[in-house]
Amino acid sequence: MPKSEQDALEWQAAIEALMLVARGGPTMLARIGVMRALNRHEPAQQPRRKQAKSYRVIGSTS
């Protein structure tokens, strides 16, 4: 891995998480760290929003 990639903050966090896994830490954090480091050049995706449902009032309660 090139030195510029090694010095990236995302890779530093991923490496630290991998070292924690080696000592018995949670593996999911290491997976998240590596995935974030691999995808660090891609823009973050915005969550999709569902369109609000419209409701209609039927009859009156007088």
Side-chain angles (χ1 to χ4, degrees):
M1 182 181 301
K3 182 72 171 153
S4 60
E5 288 286 316
Q6 291 177 19
D7 292 339
L9 293 176
E10 292 87 357
W11 280 112
Q12 292 294 320
I15 292 167
E16 187 173 336
L18 286 169
M19 289 191 296
L20 286 173
V21 169
R23 290 186 231 133
T27 58
M28 186 54 108
L29 292 179
R31 182 185 189 289
I32 292 170
V34 170
M35 294 305 291
R36 288 186 73 183
L38 287 172
N39 296 318
R40 72 186 185 104
H41 293 296
E42 295 180 18
Q45 293 181 352
Q46 297 295 324
R48 290 185 279 170
R49 294 181 180 236
K50 291 184 178 179
Q51 187 174 6
K53 292 184 178 181
S54 61
Y55 293 96
R56 158 173 77 117
V57 178
I58 300 175
S60 66
T61 58
S62 12

